[in-house]
Amino acid sequence: MMMDSMFEVKSLTHDELPLDLLLIADPEEAAINVYRQRCQAYAALLQGKIVGALLVEIDNEGLRAELYNIAVYDEHQGKGFGGVLLDEALKMLAESGIRKVELGTGTFGYQLSFYQKHGFRVDSVVKNFFLDNYDEPIFEQGIQHKDMLRLVWRG
Ligand code: COA
């Protein structure tokens, strides 16, 4: 969809998404290189240049998806591009039969508000996820991320 003539969201292949963009949402390069191969990819383009990326894995039945990564370059954040990217990807997924999209995120921060603003609801907590699965501690707003919230969107 066109937000204006300069901006569009497109479905493309995972290898067209730049690694430096995906690393903004997930510091684990090795993990990215594994899950990106199983994922469907969407990009937000501004004047033909990729400014945002979204990776989602669809299950075998084609009913459920897991959102692994959504990122917008720092200088373009907070302008609505990520929101349109997420809304458009959810719309395309719903049109292809996906009824449920899940993701894991931190227990605080603007990302949690962002997902809820776009229709996701908190489903459960995975205690110690960021302690058990990441090599380096993850701090935001001076607070260490320890537990993960599972969020669900239903189409
Ligand atoms: N710090 C604080 N707030 C921020 C922010 C930042 N760096 N970037 C965006 N926000 C806020 C915006 O003000 C906006 O809030 P509002 O709806 O109250 O106005 C909201 O978060 C984001 O909305 P939008 O502009 O549509 O999204 P975006 O283009 O910034 O994309 C992300 C959203 C999350 C993809 C993007 O901010 C990003 O890449 N963040 C870093 C990677 C990340 O954390 N990914 C998610 C992993 S769980």
Side-chain angles (χ1 to χ4, degrees), residues 13 38 45 66 113 146:
T13 59
R38 308 192 302 257
L45 294 105
E66 174 83 18
S113 309
K146 294 179 181 170

Side-chain angles (χ1 to χ4, degrees), residues 21-26 51-53 67-74 76-87 103-106 109-115 117-118 130 140-141:
L21 181 52
L22 300 171
L23 283 167
I24 296 171
D26 183 351
V51 295
L67 198 160
Y68 275 102
N69 194 306
I70 177 167
V72 169
Y73 281 121
D74 287 355
H76 293 294
Q77 287 176 14
K79 297 176 187 166
F81 297 143
V84 178
L85 171 61
L86 182 57
D87 287 345
L103 62 84
T105 190
Y110 72 91
Q111 297 91 339
L112 184 56
S113 309
F114 169 73
Y115 290 127
K117 193 169 185 177
H118 293 276
F130 294 106
E140 208 175 321
Q141 298 167 297

Side-chain angles (χ1 to χ4, degrees), residues 46-58:
L46 191 59
Q47 292 172 312
K49 286 181 67 179
I50 295 178
V51 295
L54 188 155
L55 282 171
V56 71
E57 183 182 7
I58 294 169

